[in-house]
Amino acid sequence: MKKSQIEKHLLDRIEDLSLKMERMQLAEYMNMLNDPKRYLMVNFLGGVARGLGMAVGFTLLGALVIYFLQRVVLLNLPVIGDFIADIVRLVQNQTQGGS
């Protein structure tokens, strides 16, 4: 490669890198890192949103599991029904303080 071709190639690569950095919004990210209050607020709100999402998700999942377990008990299947009844008895004994 000649010197002018190398320079053109380097300029093209620099321009490509610059466009990619703009798309990543690197400057905005660096500004946020330099402002600790904003950085903490963004992370706090993100944590609250994740926690709320997990709480709602676990609640819905738990409700579905309980619903299906109730349906299984109503079917009165011998093996599964007895297993679930044993679990219910164990939970009741633990909540009443028995062993």
Side-chain angles (χ1 to χ4, degrees):
M1 283 183 145
K2 292 182 181 178
K3 187 175 181 177
S4 63
Q5 288 177 331
I6 293 173
E7 288 174 356
K8 184 178 182 325
H9 179 72
L10 286 175
L11 287 174
D12 288 342
R13 294 291 294 161
I14 290 172
E15 186 175 336
D16 185 44
L17 181 61
S18 173
L19 289 173
K20 286 181 182 178
M21 286 174 64
E22 269 185 48
R23 280 190 218 126
M24 288 177 20
Q25 297 177 343
L26 188 62
E28 183 178 329
Y29 179 70
M30 292 305 293
N31 285 337
M32 186 180 67
L33 287 178
N34 290 329
D35 185 6
K37 289 180 185 177
R38 182 170 178 228
Y39 186 68
L40 288 173
M41 183 57 77
V42 167
N43 281 317
F44 176 74
L45 292 176
V48 168
R50 279 187 293 276
L52 184 62
M54 278 192 271
V56 170
F58 283 133
T59 301
L60 292 176
L61 184 63
L64 283 174
V65 168
I66 291 171
Y67 175 77
F68 285 121
L69 285 176
Q70 286 176 341
R71 293 292 171 203
V72 168
V73 169
L74 289 177
L75 291 174
N76 202 14
L77 300 175
V79 175
I80 298 173
D82 291 341
F83 178 70
I84 293 172
D86 288 340
I87 292 174
V88 169
R89 268 189 243 111
L90 285 172
V91 170
Q92 285 176 344
N93 284 340
Q94 288 297 322
T95 56
Q96 293 173 357
S99 55

